Amino acid sequence: MGVKKKKEMQVAVLTICCQDLETLKSFADVEGKNLASLLLRCVQLTDGVSQIHYVKQIVPLLEKVDKNGVCDPTIQSCLDILAGIYLSLSLKNPLKKVLASSLNSLPEFFLPEAVHRFTSRLQEELSTTDLYSYRKVIDNISSCMENFNLGRAGVNNLLKNVLHFLRKSLIEILEENRKCAGNHIIQTQLMNDLLVGIRVSMMLVQKVQDFQGNLWKASNSPIWQHMCGLLSIFTKFLSDDDLLQTVQSTSGLAIILFIKTIFHPSEKIPHLISSVLLRSVDCTSVPEWFMSSCRSLCCGNVSGSAVLFLCQGTLAMLDWQNGSMGRSGEALLLDTAHVLFTLSSQIKEPTLEMFLSRIMASWTNSAIQVLESSSPSLRDSLNGNSSIVGRLLEYVYTHWEHPLDALRHQTKIMFKNLLQMHRLTVEGAVLVPDPFFVKLTESLLRLEWHIKGKYMCLGCLVECIGIEHILAIDKTIPSQILEVMGDQSLVPYASDLLETMFKNHKSHLKSQTAESSWNDQWHETWVSPLLFILCEGNLDQKSYVIDYYLPKLLSYSPESLQYMVKILQTSIDAKTGQEQSFPSLGSCNSRGALGALMACLRIARAHGHLQSAADTWENLVSGARIKQGLIHQHCQVRIDTLGLLCESNRSTEIVTMEEMQWIQFFITYNLNSQSPGVRQQICSLLKKLFCRIQESSQVLYKLEQNKSKHEPEKKLTKQHPSVSLQQYKNFMSSICNSLFEALFPGSSYSTRFSALTILGSIAEVFHVPEGKFSVLLPFFEVLFLPYNSCLYIMKFAKKLSPFSLIIICQPQSVIFMNYAYYGKSSSSYLPNLFVAVLR
């Protein structure tokens, strides 16, 4: 696999107008050391990345200038040109951020002049009348507000102009969008421009300091008039169904933000917004400016989508923390909930359903914020037994299996928040047995396990009140969940819920009881049902439990492996006729405890939960047990036992002598498997073993060459590297001999297929490209040849290397094999070619 090249940064080159270029040339000094010279060299470059280097030199150069330099026409002109450069760069150009960062570090005595120059250039930008240049100006306003001191100062100085420009641009872009009806490409761009314009307007209100006071809130103030004008525009956008829904939804946010900013006194804002949401505005009691700007919200027939987006703005733009809006804020929260419930029964459009689910989840977040410092009456209105919580639970149950992943995710947020809301309403009381939690748990447990939403809700409930209270209601829950793991569609949900449960249970037990007692209880609850499924479950249950649940349990509790091995070994060793928890050895139709043992050990080793192979064979499982697994009647037990020997989480782990002997033992009895799937798995696992031998041999060779006596060698192998390497060579030679011998005339197709495939894997793994070095000397070379290639071989045999030769063809082809010793000439081993024709 090739090394992926790092993608080079693309930076567009900055340029300046001819007039600015001439100015720089006129001020550049002969020595080329002043700021004008630096900028001149920068703009003459044709590489944006190189220009970044020059931009970073601007401030260090100015730091060398004294205060009198402020009056220097060269520096004044350069600051002016720098402002122009900043505004000319696109929003995504890295040079823009680099320049802003540099100018943020200007010496303080240069700031007034720099702000003056930047303000002048920005004012020129705002005066543009080219509609298709509006987006660039809007982007510049946005970038000025983002971590750029000069830009923010310039916007503050020109706030009236900026608001006027935004107002004008939004109106003209909307009109242009109508004119371009039918041209979807241009309309999409224009609506995107509208969206950005709305967001920048909101950014101004949130970040410009002038809006924090009340000086601008006079009806004759230009800023006030522009704010009301923008609010009127957003109201039109909200009700315009020809616009994208993202434009409408963002307009809903902007309307609430602008009302919050403009309306005075602030204590009456919640009541005003409640009346808008409930469509019950008293037109005689609201300010004239509000009626003028938001008349359609007061007197018109407001659509459901418009009300929905206003609900979103209400929850997102108002301050719900610390009860800052008082009782009127609490009333607004309840009113918003009732409006959302009404909309949930009316909205059928998928995109609006998605908006609704997010907004309802947002409502529960706001409710939690308010409940943290709320009045007793609100706590009564939002406890688990209230009608509002009941309606929210009904929404969750209705939508927890919705086809959209994002909507299902929102129901999970809602359910989790509902539990937290109830906890806040009964804070100080004993949570369990709390009637609401007990009733909710029992109702969930009564549902069928094929309902996927049940798993999500139970997981949230476990995190809220703890698994021990759920187990107190029904202690067979772990077994029930494991039982459904034969259904592939439920497996991810079931395994995730089990993981949540056993983690929570262990944390609880560790905090309550002594180490020895909680270990036994935890294992009895979570591990014993697992072992029963591995021994007694159907094929699908076993497969999915091994693939999904067992790795999670061992990853969280590696020490549980010893418990598994102990229980399963005891069951295997039980005498015939005695009462046993699980069937002991199994049969051709059942894996039994031995199969469960091998599956557990295989998964543990593959995921790195066994310290070393040697410790495993010495302390966990005997060689006799391994051999039992390798020749078990059930094919999956044989595969799992072979996988235990072949797979490791470390590709360079040494293959022990015991493992090599067992592999040889396995090959002796398993080449003739009649199942194509089993043969494929055997060949795949053995290939993994050969890869381990190949990679670990490289490490062993380096250790041998370095004659290292350091700790890494001791960790890798207990014997000298040369001994392990020789064992590898002997093992591979013995394997090859066994495979060759299996190719005798008259051997079965399955035996031939297995032997040839394994030999092919050996040749592939130990193939050494020309010019490369191999630790293990090549025992053979492999050539894939067509059926009628005998004459070809004979013709070119003298050109072959003097190493042992294996020519492996596809089945129904000819195999040429040579067992000549190394060093013999081609002429001496050629007569020894043995030809076996596969028919």
Side-chain angles (χ1 to χ4, degrees):
M1 184 177 180
V3 178
K4 187 176 181 180
K5 291 184 178 179
K6 187 176 180 181
K7 187 176 181 181
E8 294 183 0
M9 181 172 59
Q10 300 294 320
V11 182
V13 179
L14 66 84
T15 57
I16 59 176
C17 65
C18 294
Q19 182 179 347
D20 287 344
L21 183 61
E22 291 302 320
T23 301
L24 289 178
K25 288 179 179 179
S26 64
F27 283 114
D29 59 353
V30 178
E31 295 82 6
K33 294 183 178 180
N34 67 359
L35 182 57
S37 299
L38 176 67
L39 292 180
L40 183 60
R41 290 196 298 272
C42 178
V43 299
Q44 289 175 336
L45 292 172
T46 57
D47 174 23
V49 176
S50 300
Q51 287 180 325
I52 290 177
H53 173 70
Y54 279 89
V55 168
K56 290 181 177 180
Q57 297 180 41
I58 294 172
V59 170
L61 191 151
L62 288 175
E63 287 175 342
K64 299 176 182 178
V65 180
D66 59 26
K67 294 183 179 180
N68 295 327
V70 177
C71 302
D72 186 348
T74 300
I75 292 179
Q76 292 176 345
S77 297
C78 289
L79 291 174
D80 182 67
I81 292 172
L82 283 170
I85 289 174
Y86 179 85
L87 295 173
S88 70
L89 294 170
S90 68
L91 191 63
K92 295 182 179 180
N93 193 328
L95 270 166
K96 198 176 190 79
K97 288 186 177 180
V98 173
L99 181 56
S101 177
S102 295
L103 294 177
N104 279 342
S105 303
L106 275 176
E108 189 173 351
F109 49 85
F110 283 116
L111 289 179
E113 181 64 24
V115 169
H116 169 69
R117 298 290 177 171
F118 193 90
T119 302
S120 299
R121 288 280 187 156
L122 181 59
Q123 190 167 17
E124 292 177 16
E125 285 274 301
L126 295 171
S127 63
T128 183
T129 57
D130 179 10
L131 184 141
Y132 287 92
S133 295
Y134 287 170
R135 174 60 184 274
K136 177 176 174 290
V137 181
I138 294 173
D139 285 342
N140 269 327
I141 296 171
S142 172
S143 63
C144 285
M145 302 301 298
E146 293 287 351
N147 302 316
F148 184 33
N149 300 334
L150 295 184
R152 188 175 289 114
V155 170
N156 274 320
N157 292 341
L158 299 170
L159 182 58
K160 178 180 67 175
N161 307 63
V162 172
L163 291 171
H164 172 74
F165 170 80
L166 288 171
R167 183 180 176 186
K168 177 189 73 168
S169 62
L170 290 174
I171 293 172
E172 294 182 14
I173 292 172
L174 179 63
E175 183 60 31
E176 182 70 11
N177 182 64
R178 290 200 179 105
K179 292 178 182 178
C180 295
N183 191 331
H184 300 300
I185 296 177
I186 293 181
Q187 279 194 304
T188 300
Q189 180 59 54
L190 289 171
M191 281 194 268
N192 190 51
D193 293 346
L194 288 178
L195 182 62
V196 174
I198 299 168
R199 289 174 175 168
V200 171
S201 302
M202 295 169 64
M203 182 190 294
L204 277 177
V205 172
Q206 292 169 318
K207 292 192 174 184
V208 172
Q209 291 297 320
D210 287 2
F211 288 113
Q212 307 305 316
N214 294 319
L215 296 177
W216 60 275
K217 292 185 179 180
S219 57
N220 60 349
S221 164
I223 294 179
W224 170 275
Q225 292 170 1
H226 291 314
M227 289 287 287
C228 291
L230 284 168
L231 178 57
S232 177
I233 293 170
F234 301 149
T235 303
K236 292 177 182 177
F237 289 175
L238 179 68
S239 305
D240 191 342
D241 291 333
D242 292 331
L243 297 177
L244 294 174
Q245 284 183 338
T246 50
V247 175
Q248 291 180 289
S249 65
T250 308
S251 296
L253 297 172
I255 288 171
I256 301 300
L257 176 62
F258 272 59
I259 291 175
K260 172 187 171 183
T261 306
I262 298 174
F263 196 88
H264 187 76
S266 59
E267 294 79 13
K268 295 185 178 181
I269 292 176
H271 177 72
L272 173 65
I273 295 177
S274 281
S275 64
V276 171
L277 297 180
L278 296 171
R279 309 176 201 186
S280 60
V281 177
D282 181 0
C283 298
T284 62
S285 64
V286 296
E288 182 181 346
W289 65 265
F290 186 79
M291 282 298 298
S292 175
S293 301
C294 306
R295 182 173 299 276
S296 63
L297 301 181
C298 301
C299 308
N301 183 20
V302 186
S303 66
S305 61
V307 175
L308 179 65
F309 297 140
L310 287 172
C311 289
Q312 180 185 24
T314 299
L315 297 169
M317 291 298 156
L318 298 183
D319 184 10
W320 296 100
Q321 290 183 331
N322 304 320
S324 58
M325 291 187 288
R327 293 294 183 89
S328 60
E330 295 178 0
L332 173 59
L333 183 71
L334 298 178
D335 289 340
T336 305
H338 291 300
V339 170
L340 291 173
F341 294 146
T342 301
L343 292 173
S344 68
S345 63
Q346 298 172 349
I347 291 176
K348 304 300 179 185
E349 185 185 341
T351 53
L352 288 179
E353 279 189 312
M354 191 64 248
F355 273 110
L356 176 63
S357 67
R358 283 201 299 262
I359 294 168
M360 292 186 75
S362 176
W363 183 91
T364 60
N365 286 324
S366 299
I368 289 174
Q369 293 177 342
V370 176
L371 282 170
E372 289 174 348
S373 57
S374 65
S375 64
S377 61
L378 182 66
R379 288 197 288 271
D380 291 340
S381 299
L382 295 181
N383 67 38
N385 301 310
S386 66
S387 61
I388 288 181
V389 171
R391 294 285 297 275
L392 289 169
L393 282 173
E394 182 182 342
Y395 181 88
V396 170
Y397 297 153
T398 305
H399 294 84
W400 62 7
E401 291 197 11
H402 195 278
L404 290 176
D405 288 344
L407 200 150
R408 293 199 304 273
H409 178 68
Q410 297 303 323
T411 62
K412 179 178 181 179
I413 294 174
M414 289 173 61
F415 188 82
K416 185 179 291 187
N417 286 346
L418 290 179
L419 301 179
Q420 178 65 15
M421 286 165 55
H422 181 72
R423 292 190 64 158
L424 290 171
T425 62
V426 295
E427 193 170 7
V430 179
L431 286 180
V432 179
D434 177 89
F436 169 71
F437 286 131
V438 173
K439 181 180 177 182
L440 183 60
T441 303
E442 290 176 342
S443 66
L444 287 172
L445 292 178
R446 282 195 297 269
L447 296 173
E448 296 292 333
W449 284 105
H450 71 267
I451 300 174
K452 296 174 183 176
K454 174 177 180 176
Y455 298 87
M456 174 270 292
C457 289
L458 281 175
C460 295
L461 201 56
V462 168
E463 293 173 351
C464 180
I465 66 173
I467 184 61
E468 66 277 6
H469 304 298
I470 300 177
L471 290 174
I473 297 174
D474 188 347
K475 64 180 182 180
T476 67
I477 288 175
S479 297
Q480 293 180 42
I481 301 174
L482 286 168
E483 282 291 332
V484 304
M485 289 192 72
D487 185 342
Q488 186 178 18
S489 64
L490 298 175
V491 169
Y493 302 93
S495 60
D496 287 347
L497 176 58
L498 284 169
E499 183 180 19
T500 300
M501 287 179 163
F502 69 63
K503 285 182 176 180
N504 183 278
H505 196 207
K506 186 172 183 178
S507 299
H508 171 73
L509 291 175
K510 286 178 71 174
S511 65
Q512 298 293 321
T513 57
E515 179 78 17
S516 57
S517 58
W518 76 253
N519 245 330
D520 295 339
Q521 184 179 349
W522 190 82
H523 284 138
E524 184 64 29
T525 304
W526 304 105
V527 181
S528 293
L530 162 69
L531 298 180
F532 182 82
I533 291 293
L534 292 180
C535 295
E536 288 285 274
N538 61 46
L539 179 61
D540 288 339
Q541 282 178 322
K542 293 176 183 177
S543 299
Y544 293 135
V545 165
I546 290 172
D547 291 342
Y548 287 85
Y549 179 51
L550 182 57
K552 290 182 177 182
L553 190 141
L554 286 175
S555 177
Y556 180 70
S557 180
E559 64 274 12
S560 296
L561 180 64
Q562 291 188 348
Y563 174 84
M564 297 177 188
V565 172
K566 178 183 176 183
I567 296 296
L568 293 172
Q569 294 265 37
T570 301
S571 182
I572 296 170
D573 293 335
K575 293 181 180 180
T576 305
Q578 286 187 337
E579 183 179 348
Q580 301 176 36
S581 301
F582 315 116
S584 58
L585 291 178
S587 65
C588 60
N589 297 318
S590 171
R591 302 185 194 183
L594 180 61
L597 174 63
M598 294 306 160
C600 292
L601 289 171
R602 178 185 181 183
I603 291 295
R605 187 176 192 187
H607 288 78
H609 303 309
L610 295 180
Q611 293 298 321
S612 70
D615 291 338
T616 302
W617 317 139
E618 291 173 8
N619 303 321
L620 284 179
V621 61
S622 65
R625 195 76 77 207
I626 294 292
K627 286 188 174 182
Q628 277 183 306
L630 291 173
I631 56 173
H632 196 275
Q633 290 180 323
H634 196 289
C635 61
Q636 190 57 47
V637 179
R638 299 198 301 272
I639 292 296
D640 284 337
T641 310
L642 179 63
L644 168 62
L645 300 177
C646 296
E647 294 175 324
S648 173
N649 67 312
R650 292 186 293 120
S651 63
T652 58
E653 183 179 0
I654 297 296
V655 180
T656 65
M657 192 63 194
E658 293 92 339
E659 289 173 320
M660 289 187 277
Q661 291 171 350
W662 292 329
I663 294 294
Q664 187 75 53
F665 175 78
F666 175 86
I667 288 177
T668 303
Y669 293 99
N670 287 277
L671 288 181
N672 194 28
S673 175
Q674 300 303 303
S675 168
V678 172
R679 292 200 300 267
Q680 185 179 18
Q681 291 185 71
I682 290 173
C683 296
S684 175
L685 289 171
L686 288 174
K687 185 174 182 179
K688 290 183 180 180
L689 178 78
F690 300 146
C691 288
R692 263 180 62 202
I693 290 176
Q694 199 276 338
E695 292 192 31
S696 60
S697 66
Q698 302 292 331
V699 178
L700 288 168
Y701 177 77
K702 290 179 181 178
L703 288 172
E704 183 184 24
Q705 293 299 307
N706 296 332
K707 303 296 183 183
S708 173
K709 300 297 181 182
H710 297 121
E711 188 64 25
E713 178 184 330
K714 295 180 182 178
K715 289 184 178 180
L716 185 67
T717 175
K718 294 182 178 179
Q719 59 191 12
H720 197 275
S722 61
V723 176
S724 296
L725 284 172
Q726 187 58 48
Q727 288 175 350
Y728 277 179
K729 293 178 182 180
N730 295 341
F731 170 67
M732 293 306 300
S733 178
S734 177
I735 287 288
C736 290
N737 287 334
S738 297
L739 295 172
F740 292 151
E741 291 168 1
L743 295 172
F744 61 87
S747 60
S748 67
Y749 172 84
S750 56
T751 300
R752 296 199 312 266
F753 184 93
S754 298
L756 289 174
T757 305
I758 297 170
L759 284 169
S761 296
I762 294 173
E764 180 183 347
V765 171
F766 294 98
H767 171 67
V768 182
E770 186 175 351
K772 297 292 184 179
F773 172 75
S774 173
V775 175
L776 294 175
L777 292 176
F779 293 98
F780 44 78
E781 295 175 359
V782 180
L783 301 173
F784 290 88
L785 299 174
Y787 174 77
N788 59 348
S789 50
C790 182
L791 294 177
Y792 180 88
I793 298 296
M794 301 302 292
K795 181 178 179 180
F796 292 99
K798 293 184 178 180
K799 298 182 180 179
L800 297 175
S801 66
F803 295 121
S804 301
L805 173 67
I806 306 169
I807 303 170
I808 301 177
C809 307
Q810 299 301 323
Q812 306 301 325
S813 300
V814 182
I815 304 177
F816 300 89
M817 294 171 291
N818 170 51
Y819 288 94
Y821 291 102
Y822 287 62
K824 286 188 177 181
S825 65
S826 299
S827 59
S828 64
Y829 74 75
L830 184 59
N832 294 329
L833 281 175
F834 170 79
V835 180
V837 181
L838 301 182
R839 297 299 185 192

